[in-house]
Amino acid sequence: MSEPMIVLDRVSRSFGELCAVDDVSLEIGAGEFFSMLGPSGCGKTTTLRLIAGFEEPDVGRVMLAGEDVTLVSPRRRNVNMVFQDYALFPHMSVAENVEFGLRLRRVARDQARERVAEMLTVVQLEGLGQRRPAELSGGQRQRVALARALVNKPAALLLDEPLGALDLKLRREMQLELKRIQKTTGTTFVYVTHDQEEALTMSDRIAVMEGGIVQQLADPRTLYEQPRTAFVAGFIGTSNSIRLEVSRREGELAVMELDQGMRVVAPDPGGSAPRLRITVRPEKIRIGGSSNGAGSRIRGQVVERIYLGSLSQTVVEIATGERLVVHELNDDEAAAVAPGDQVTLSWAERHSLIVDSDDGPQREERS
Amino acid sequence: MRAGLAARARRRLPGVASVALVVLVMVVLFGPVLMLALFSFNDSSIISLPWEGFTMRWYEEAWNAGQARDAVLNSLLVAAVVATASLVLGTLAAWGLTRLRFAGRGLAAGLHGSVLVVPWLIIGVAGLIFFSELGVSLSLQTVGLMQLVVTFPLVVAIVSAGLVRFSRSQEEAAIDLGASQAQMLRHVVLPQIAPSLAAAGIFAFAWSFNNFEISFFTGGFDQTFPVWVFSILRQSENLPVVNAASTVIALAQVLAVFGAWLAIKRLSRRGGSGGNEAISELMTGAVR
Ligand SMILES: Nc1ncnc2c1ncn2[C@@H]1O[C@H](COP(=O)(O)OP(=O)(O)OP(=O)(O)O)[C@@H](O)[C@H]1O
Ligand SMILES: [Mg+2]
């Protein structure tokens, strides 16, 4: 990453007692598609508004293209926002909406017209310039909101759950569309969502937030395969977490012995934690599988089996009462199991992801 | 076939019933007024049957009565000033109440609302006592001042209703795109609340023009139109003249409000919302 476009430097913002954004530091690169992901109320919108200038941080600095803009008013910041409800001006036509920012900055009339037409082409709304927002579909309004922001050539575009109001099919289409527009214009996108799938498919990097804190900031693959905390593991993908006593440590590995020769093996996180919390992704678990080998083997009873088209999902309850979800491809090798069956689950040791150890930061249990 | 007819009749019943209801309400509301208007053309000094023949005499007399014309001009003047002042002040207050956060905001809003239900008679008497305590002599100015007490909250009520409906994020979007506060108000807020402003202005004007109680107590020797009507009615032979004058005034007001309704409808459509809002704006003002 060259010179970062946006820097949040130890920024905090409280509302009364509540710390909505708690000592957050971020660097967002030029041209990056950056997402903020987290549950409702975790501080995503507040962070975005701090960048836009609609909120002022209690402490910390906001930098934009190398300049400190902490105290600069939103109208003078070279970023534009796409609001969740689009906030289109209903009394103006589509073209007038898009032209609004240019008119305020006194761009010459014919030049402004040209840029508006160009932008309407980018968002595929040619020919709809004379319509009123009320005469457009949800997806089209979304595109107008994008065009209205992008026509100003902002250093970064801030999007607050821009697809939240659309139905699933349109969401999928607009996800691809947004990605295409981002590539075409080369604009830095800061994208807020609480939909993990959306964040995973679109982003270069994702900041997973909870309680005003950035829990982990990484690219989608790293977040999925190496979640650092139980929260991240649970929020990205299905959480399959079990908590076990460490029996012994063998070099790089921590081994947790169970009854009847069963055991779970995981990469040793170091330290001397007596217990570990481990997550296994559903598609990494095999039903049956080898009884020798070095990996993990654990017995349990099938409580549920659901056919999902290309996949079958099996829920297995193990001796500790915890449940593991297993995804299998429905190919010829798929195991034929039914609820009530005793099965052995197995997975390679590198797929045991340590998300918490008892000497690490204590986090509350999540069901 | 029969069943189909019956079903169709049943389906149309609500429509027929609602039209009948509207007609009934119109007759009850406007019947007496229309009767009076009719009798203003009757060539008799008592307002009752039999019909003595058509005449324009009462209109001529009303037109030639200097006092009547002065009273109407007084009312127009006061109403114009009161409407303008309450529109400007009321809009600012509505903006403050809906957009700024300050301690006692709810209390302030409640106070505005409660003034709307205080009887005008009491406000008139209160004004009289207030001005005489201060030693201010009564005139059209004191009338205007006391009328402002009731038209101001009216404007606040109508304009706040418009502002509350208005989406806040549009304001932020305008600022985000580089607008100053003034530009945001000018290009985004005003065009959209124009129907509310128009309705508020019309009703502030009408309330002021039609007000009797406040004008009566705080006007001193200056007569507004309703006060003139009251004063002259004490002699029953004047009845037809009053009747003629009132008919003209009423007709003018009905035409003015109807014209305003058309204009507001146009404004609303330009503002992106349907004409239905125009009706609700108008009804808000018409509650008194
Ligand atoms: N203006 C405000 N006044 C008081 N509290 C606020 C304000 N804005 C946000 N908060 C609080 O700050 C916390 C974070 O809010 P924020 O809007 O940033 O959440 P979010 O992550 O965007 O959630 P969502 O996904 O529901 O939009 C919430 O608990 C919220 O109630
Ligand atoms: Mg939010």
Side-chain angles (χ1 to χ4, degrees):
Chain A
M1 197 191 321
S2 54
E3 167 87 341
M5 188 58 90
I6 299 170
V7 178
L8 295 189
D9 181 17
R10 310 207 54 179
V11 168
S12 295
R13 175 72 169 109
S14 303
F15 298 105
E17 291 288 280
L18 180 98
C19 200
V21 173
D22 192 356
D23 196 18
V24 165
S25 294
L26 294 175
E27 287 195 358
I28 302 172
E32 189 174 14
F33 198 118
F34 186 92
S35 292
M36 290 190 276
L37 175 66
S40 187
C42 71
K44 307 180 295 285
T45 298
T46 307
T47 310
L48 208 64
R49 291 170 62 84
L50 282 163
I51 300 174
F54 290 113
E55 300 285 351
E56 242 175 59
D58 303 325
V59 289
R61 287 188 311 159
V62 180
M63 315 266 293
L64 203 62
E67 242 180 278
D68 189 334
V69 295
T70 314
L71 299 175
V72 174
S73 92
R75 65 180 290 231
R76 306 221 179 273
R77 291 191 193 189
N78 189 20
V79 292
N80 284 117
M81 190 136 166
V82 174
F83 293 81
Q84 180 164 9
D85 64 354
Y86 314 145
L88 298 178
F89 306 129
H91 59 299
M92 296 183 196
S93 69
V94 166
E96 285 167 340
N97 264 283
V98 178
E99 207 186 337
F100 191 77
L102 300 178
R103 242 173 55 205
L104 290 172
R105 278 189 282 121
R106 305 194 184 289
V107 174
R109 199 83 207 215
D110 44 348
Q111 201 193 334
R113 290 250 169 81
E114 204 171 296
R115 270 168 73 178
V116 168
E118 216 173 277
M119 200 33 86
L120 287 179
T121 311
V122 171
V123 299
Q124 301 185 335
L125 284 178
E126 309 99 316
L128 297 187
Q130 294 319 307
R131 294 254 191 108
R132 289 293 160 93
E135 300 162 345
L136 298 178
S137 73
Q140 288 170 332
R141 279 181 218 171
Q142 173 63 67
R143 288 162 201 260
V144 178
L146 275 172
R148 186 178 67 177
L150 282 171
V151 79
N152 305 297
K153 304 204 167 103
L157 190 67
L158 313 175
L159 305 101
D160 191 0
E161 307 207 23
L163 308 183
L166 305 180
D167 64 50
L168 193 63
K169 185 165 171 291
L170 201 53
R171 268 181 98 105
R172 293 267 154 75
E173 276 174 38
M174 283 305 295
Q175 285 171 12
L176 297 175
E177 189 65 17
L178 275 174
K179 194 73 189 161
R180 180 185 67 77
I181 292 170
Q182 194 250 345
K183 285 226 179 82
T184 325
T185 59
T187 311
T188 310
F189 273 39
V190 184
Y191 191 93
V192 162
T193 178
H194 60 243
D195 180 338
Q196 48 110 355
E197 192 189 311
E198 193 166 289
L200 287 179
T201 53
M202 297 172 75
S203 321
D204 296 322
R205 285 190 310 152
I206 302 171
V208 180
M209 294 186 68
E210 195 216 9
I213 295 170
V214 175
Q215 295 259 338
Q216 188 170 1
L217 197 172
D219 60 284
R221 193 182 186 109
T222 309
L223 277 182
Y224 188 75
E225 302 200 337
Q226 291 155 32
R228 256 208 332 250
T229 66
F231 176 80
V232 175
F235 203 77
I236 311 265
T238 311
S239 158
N240 253 347
S241 83
I242 47 180
R243 196 180 181 83
L244 295 167
E245 300 271 349
V246 177
S247 319
R248 62 198 146 78
R249 293 166 194 269
E250 289 175 355
E252 302 280 84
L253 300 177
V255 180
M256 290 142 274
E257 299 278 4
L258 303 161
D259 298 345
Q260 304 168 352
M262 299 289 136
R263 60 188 197 149
V264 171
V265 188
D268 189 0
S272 56
R275 262 175 291 157
L276 294 177
R277 179 174 284 283
I278 286 167
T279 282
V280 198
R281 295 298 181 192
E283 69 278 8
K284 310 288 190 199
I285 305 178
R286 297 271 159 277
I287 296 180
S290 59
S291 52
N292 48 0
S296 305
R297 288 190 308 279
I298 195 164
R299 274 190 83 72
Q301 187 177 34
V302 176
V303 291
E304 191 181 84
R305 186 166 166 91
I306 302 172
Y307 178 73
L308 295 176
S310 59
L311 295 176
S312 283
Q313 170 171 303
T314 312
V315 180
V316 176
E317 187 169 305
I318 60 169
T320 58
E322 288 157 311
R323 289 178 172 196
L324 290 176
V325 176
V326 183
H327 285 167
E328 282 178 299
L329 275 178
N330 276 332
D331 54 15
D332 296 340
E333 272 140 56
V337 296
D341 290 357
Q342 288 290 327
V343 291
T344 305
L345 305 177
S346 62
W347 63 87
E349 66 257 11
R350 68 172 190 286
H351 293 316
S352 300
L353 310 173
I354 313 272
V355 291
D356 218 349
S357 48
D358 263 357
D359 64 354
Q362 197 70 48
R363 283 175 211 290
E364 78 232 58
E365 295 278 327
R366 235 165 268 277
S367 55
Chain B
M1 191 67 206
R2 288 281 303 271
L5 266 178
R8 205 180 311 161
R10 216 174 309 129
R11 222 174 311 134
R12 292 184 53 173
L13 201 59
V16 173
S18 69
V19 169
L21 188 67
V22 168
V23 169
L24 183 72
V25 168
M26 297 283 255
V27 167
V28 171
L29 279 181
F30 298 117
V33 180
L34 285 178
M35 285 282 271
L36 284 181
L38 216 61
F39 278 113
S40 68
F41 296 104
N42 190 11
D43 196 357
S44 156
S45 63
I46 45 171
I47 297 190
S48 77
L49 289 171
W51 184 259
E52 303 281 355
F54 179 84
T55 182
M56 290 296 285
R57 191 171 103 210
W58 309 121
Y59 284 89
E60 259 168 60
E61 272 187 36
W63 179 253
N64 289 326
Q67 271 193 336
R69 251 183 301 165
D70 286 349
V72 169
L73 285 180
N74 280 347
S75 278
L76 284 175
L77 179 69
V78 171
V81 172
V82 166
T84 312
S86 55
L87 195 57
V88 172
L89 298 175
T91 303
L92 290 175
W95 182 262
L97 283 174
T98 53
R99 290 299 186 268
L100 309 178
R101 320 206 145 268
F102 54 89
R105 190 169 74 138
L107 186 70
L111 273 177
H112 281 111
S114 58
V115 171
L116 288 176
V117 297
V118 174
W120 286 349
L121 181 69
I122 290 176
I123 292 175
V125 172
L128 176 65
I129 295 168
F130 176 70
F131 289 126
S132 63
E133 286 289 318
L134 286 181
V136 177
S137 60
L138 301 177
S139 67
L140 287 183
Q141 287 160 24
T142 49
V143 170
L145 222 53
M146 280 321 281
Q147 285 186 350
L148 209 53
V149 172
V150 292
T151 55
F152 171 77
L154 173 72
V155 171
V156 173
I158 298 179
V159 177
S160 322
L163 283 173
V164 165
R165 262 202 311 260
F166 180 83
S167 128
R168 284 296 302 276
S169 59
Q170 280 186 48
E171 290 166 27
E172 285 190 346
I175 302 279
D176 186 65
L177 292 166
S180 63
Q181 286 284 325
Q183 285 170 322
M184 180 263 286
L185 286 174
R186 159 84 186 75
H187 296 296
V188 175
V189 180
L190 271 184
Q192 292 187 68
I193 62 164
S196 306
L197 292 182
I202 288 162
F203 281 100
F205 188 93
W207 277 31
S208 164
F209 191 96
N210 295 337
N211 179 282
F212 168 71
E213 295 93 327
I214 296 171
S215 315
F216 180 74
F217 284 105
T218 58
F221 294 111
D222 289 340
Q223 284 186 335
T224 60
F225 178 70
V227 176
W228 171 77
V229 168
F230 177 76
S231 67
I232 195 177
L233 269 184
R234 271 173 281 185
Q235 279 109 13
S236 68
E237 68 269 20
N238 288 327
L239 215 57
V241 178
V242 167
N243 203 355
S246 308
T247 302
V248 172
I249 296 291
L251 189 68
Q253 290 199 11
V254 166
L255 287 180
V257 171
F258 185 69
W261 175 67
L262 289 179
I264 290 176
K265 227 168 83 165
R266 289 255 313 271
L267 280 174
S268 305
R269 205 168 297 138
R270 276 226 324 253
S273 54
N276 285 340
E277 281 184 16
I279 297 173
S280 80
E281 307 282 5
L282 279 178
M283 295 313 280
T284 326
V287 285
R288 192 93 187 190

